[in-house]
Amino acid sequence: MAEQAAAPGPLPVVSFLKIPDKGDPYLEGQECGGCGAIFLGERETCSRCGASGRFQAKRLSDRGELYVYSIVHRSFPGVEVPYISAIVDLEGGGTVKGNLIGIDPDPEKVSFGMPVEVVYQIAPRKDAEGNEYLTYYFKPRS
Ligand SMILES: [Zn+2]
């Protein structure tokens, strides 16, 4: 009763979303020791400089700028449309794809280069085993 062991939290929706025991979730990139390029997900060889096996995990910033986006009007059944699919350049490196929320999916309102931040939320759906997932979105930042 005393300890909170076996209180399973949500699972990360992608492998590069890290959920520490203490503290806030964050995105993790792999930084090339040869050229400093940052990628998401495990890899062996740098596609920029060709260095092999020289990657180190790096905690990425939660702040960035909208690089490009598209407004999605058709999706899978059960997915609410329209929504904004975005690619964001994070401060300090790393380019991440995700959905932009907290703003109308209207090209008049969304602009390239606008400042955004990464926010973490429980995904709206559980998997077949009933597991909860933590996912990330981008949100405009002022
Ligand atoms: Zn490299």
Side-chain angles (χ1 to χ4, degrees):
M1 288 283 177
E3 282 177 81
Q4 291 192 327
L11 303 167
V13 74
V14 287
S15 65
F16 57 84
L17 196 170
K18 301 298 176 188
I19 306 174
D21 290 340
K22 287 187 180 131
D24 297 323
Y26 62 94
L27 301 180
E28 185 180 85
Q30 302 292 320
E31 183 172 35
C32 173
C35 71
I38 294 173
F39 302 94
L40 293 178
E42 306 290 322
R43 64 175 65 201
E44 269 304 303
T45 304
C46 178
S47 56
R48 187 160 122 194
C49 74
S52 199
R54 296 184 59 186
F55 287 99
Q56 263 202 323
K58 180 186 165 122
R59 182 175 179 148
L60 301 179
S61 174
D62 280 338
R63 294 157 59 92
E65 285 184 358
L66 181 61
Y67 173 61
V68 72
Y69 71 94
S70 64
I71 297 174
V72 180
H73 291 276
R74 299 186 67 173
S75 190
F76 298 102
V79 176
E80 245 181 81
V81 290
Y83 66 88
I84 306 169
S85 177
I87 295 176
V88 166
D89 285 329
L90 298 176
E91 283 180 4
T95 300
V96 187
K97 187 172 182 292
N99 291 351
L100 176 62
I101 61 170
I103 185 169
D104 289 340
D106 177 349
E108 301 271 300
K109 300 196 173 147
V110 185
S111 53
F112 297 112
M114 68 187 284
V116 298
E117 63 185 341
V118 184
V119 293
Y120 301 90
Q121 291 182 11
I122 299 294
R125 274 176 297 276
K126 295 180 180 181
D127 68 13
E129 278 89 53
N131 296 308
E132 271 194 332
Y133 285 85
L134 188 70
T135 188
Y136 65 92
Y137 299 98
F138 304 115
K139 226 170 79 175
R141 126 178 100 82
S142 47

